[in-house]
Amino acid sequence: GESVGLHLPTLSVQEGDNSIINCAYSNSASDYFIWYKQESGKGPQFIIDIRSNMDKRQGQRVTVLLNKTVKHLSLQIAATQPGDSAVYFCAENSSGDYKLSFGAGTTVTVRA
Amino acid sequence: ETGVTQTPRHLVMGMTNKKSLKCEQHLGHNAMYWYKQSAKKPLELMFVYNFKEQTENNSVPSRFSPECPNSSHLFLHLHTLQPEDSALYLCASSQAGGRGEQFFGPGTRLTVL
């Protein structure tokens, strides 16, 4: 079956630096991607999404990049803050399928 | 607040107990989901309901029994669970058809003794 995975299970970042979290997917039919953030004791929260007709999308302090050629997705967080400490998941689905497939998550820890 | 609530937030039960998890969404969505989240593993989809009809049972053991009485409420009935069923159980909702963001509740932390 298809799989969605993140390259690194943990990431330690100095406060104020930029963070980059990576995700690889294997389903070439995937055309919609979401990044979620999960803080301790909470459910996953939507950060940003991107459709396959785009290769970049920006939000507030976050940017998602999509490289369909190598099936790679990344989330960039600018000026990382202590409140950014959480587990980050990528998820994908393909046209005609309502199910999301999730990666295992990257735990981001922000150092003061 | 995501508009999806779950109760209880924590549950400890023995293997012979029967308990139920409750989820309620206030977003006007027509699709609801149960996921299991275990440590270091991706979210596992368990059940999907679209317009109150179950459209997905992802090979879940029969000791987990879902119920969706209306588009706003979703239950997960538990009986004779095993210790390996201990996990965070997350409920989510979305627009029917599921294309787009799913909104998650805070989860129920379940411990089976």
Side-chain angles (χ1 to χ4, degrees), chain A residues 82-94:
Chain A
D84 295 326
S85 293
V87 180
Y88 291 81
F89 300 91
C90 61
E92 57 85 22
N93 79 355
S94 53

Side-chain angles (χ1 to χ4, degrees), chain A residues 38-52:
Chain A
Q38 186 174 21
E39 297 175 89
S40 180
K42 297 183 179 180
Q45 291 181 287
F46 173 89
I47 301 174
I48 192 167
D49 60 0
I50 188 168
R51 297 194 183 276
S52 59

Side-chain angles (χ1 to χ4, degrees), chain B residues 34-46:
Chain B
W34 279 117
Y35 287 89
K36 176 183 179 182
Q37 186 176 36
S38 304
K40 310 300 183 187
K41 294 175 67 176
L43 270 70
E44 300 174 48
L45 180 64
M46 300 175 71

Side-chain angles (χ1 to χ4, degrees), chain A residues 2-3 5 17-18 27 30 41 43 55 63 65 67 69 72 74 88 95-96 102 104-105 107 112:
Chain A
E2 298 82 12
S3 65
D17 287 353
N18 297 334
N27 184 3
S30 298
D55 53 20
T63 300
L65 299 177
N67 185 328
T69 302
H72 183 268
S74 68
Y88 291 81
S95 180
F102 287 84
T107 300

Side-chain angles (χ1 to χ4, degrees), chain B residues 2-20:
Chain B
T2 62
V4 181
T5 58
Q6 290 187 244
T7 54
R9 294 294 309 275
H10 301 272
L11 178 63
V12 179
M13 59 187 290
M15 289 190 285
T16 59
N17 292 158
K18 289 185 179 181
K19 297 287 184 183
S20 296

Side-chain angles (χ1 to χ4, degrees), chain A:
Chain A
E2 298 82 12
S3 65
V4 182
L6 295 171
H7 291 312
L8 294 173
T10 61
L11 179 66
S12 180
V13 183
Q14 184 69 40
E15 182 178 357
D17 287 353
N18 297 334
S19 304
I20 299 177
I21 307 165
N22 295 303
C23 184
Y25 63 96
S26 59
N27 184 3
S28 56
S30 298
D31 62 357
Y32 178 65
F33 305 86
I34 303 178
W35 280 101
Y36 281 94
K37 171 187 180 183
Q38 186 174 21
E39 297 175 89
S40 180
K42 297 183 179 180
Q45 291 181 287
F46 173 89
I47 301 174
I48 192 167
D49 60 0
I50 188 168
R51 297 194 183 276
S52 59
N53 60 351
M54 304 173 69
D55 53 20
K56 179 180 180 179
R57 190 163 188 225
Q58 290 184 292
Q60 188 176 13
R61 279 200 310 117
V62 295
T63 300
V64 55
L65 299 177
L66 175 63
N67 185 328
K68 296 179 288 294
T69 302
V70 296
K71 300 190 185 69
H72 183 268
L73 187 71
S74 68
L75 178 70
Q76 301 178 3
I77 305 173
T80 310
Q81 302 171 357
D84 295 326
S85 293
V87 180
Y88 291 81
F89 300 91
C90 61
E92 57 85 22
N93 79 355
S94 53
S95 180
D97 186 356
Y98 51 81
K99 293 179 289 185
L100 286 176
S101 295
F102 287 84
T106 291
T107 300
V108 173
T109 302
V110 181
R111 306 188 306 271

